[in-house]
Amino acid sequence: MTDAGATWTDERVELLKKLWTDGLSASQIAAELGNVTRNAVIGKVHRLGLSGRAKDVKATSAAPRARKVTRAPSAPAPIAPQAHNNVVMAPIPLQAVREEPIMVAEEDDVAIPMSERVTIMDLRESMCRWPMGDPTKPEFRFCGARSITGLPYCTHHARIAYQPVADRKRERKLARA
């Protein structure tokens, strides 16, 4: 390992200062100086208190940046049915899953008795994969109820998981009020 003090001679420090004010990146300066890392350049710049950098000509132009155009939300595009193992699975419209307003309560875990919940080892393709409890605890389980075909969740948990964006925003506003 080389002595770090020996790499920063007066000539190298002056070159570092010049390259830094010219606007080169720490990586470019490290490559130019040789035998020094990008992080060493950053550290030296910090210790020297260098801050002013040459600005890019494009960045100093008086033209304001173009703003991102926002438009009103449109209806989601229809999803084409997908084939899986020669079985066509049509997407389930959200309206079919969602019947009444969503009320997410802390006691949501109580909706499924512990005896019906399953471990990851017992989880099957047709079972709801909604996590229940703290994953770091041994009593952590998954819902295990019959899942909706083509979805990982049962009807109850699909209502919670697949909320339209507008509804989620409205519920957040109500929660803050």
Side-chain angles (χ1 to χ4, degrees):
M1 187 169 191
T2 61
D3 179 21
T7 60
W8 291 114
T9 62
D10 290 342
E11 295 83 24
R12 288 169 64 88
V13 170
E14 288 305 313
L15 182 56
L16 166 70
K17 288 178 181 179
K18 180 192 175 306
L19 296 173
W20 183 258
T21 55
D22 288 348
L24 271 67
S25 70
S27 296
Q28 292 168 325
I29 295 170
E32 183 75 26
L33 291 173
N35 199 26
V36 67
T37 65
R38 170 187 163 275
N39 285 339
V41 169
I42 292 169
K44 190 65 174 178
V45 164
H46 180 71
R47 287 188 300 278
L48 291 170
L50 302 178
S51 60
R53 308 240 340 186
K55 301 288 185 208
D56 187 8
V57 176
K58 291 181 208 168
T60 58
S61 69
R65 289 180 61 179
R67 295 188 68 142
K68 191 174 186 179
V69 178
T70 58
R71 47 187 146 141
S74 59
I79 302 171
Q82 298 175 343
H84 180 70
N85 293 341
N86 296 327
V87 176
V88 175
M89 296 186 295
I92 298 170
L94 187 57
Q95 293 78 9
V97 174
R98 187 155 182 224
E99 296 158 1
E100 71 256 357
I102 299 168
M103 302 303 271
V104 180
E106 291 297 323
E107 61 272 356
D108 183 50
D109 289 354
V110 180
I112 294 90
M114 275 302 280
S115 60
E116 293 179 23
R117 298 179 190 183
V118 294
T119 65
I120 195 156
M121 299 304 290
D122 298 323
L123 196 59
R124 300 288 173 251
E125 189 175 341
S126 62
M127 294 178 166
C128 177
R129 292 168 173 75
W130 190 266
M132 316 226 31
D134 183 353
T136 62
K137 304 278 188 230
E139 53 274 352
F140 175 73
R141 300 284 187 273
F142 293 90
C143 170
R146 178 120 182 108
S147 63
I148 300 171
T149 306
L151 293 177
Y153 306 122
C154 64
T155 306
H156 173 74
H157 289 120
R159 284 187 198 131
I160 298 167
Y162 302 113
Q163 298 178 29
V165 175
D167 289 355
R168 283 186 297 209
K169 286 181 180 174
R170 187 177 332 113
E171 287 175 14
R172 271 192 239 131
K173 282 183 184 176
L174 291 174
R176 282 188 244 141

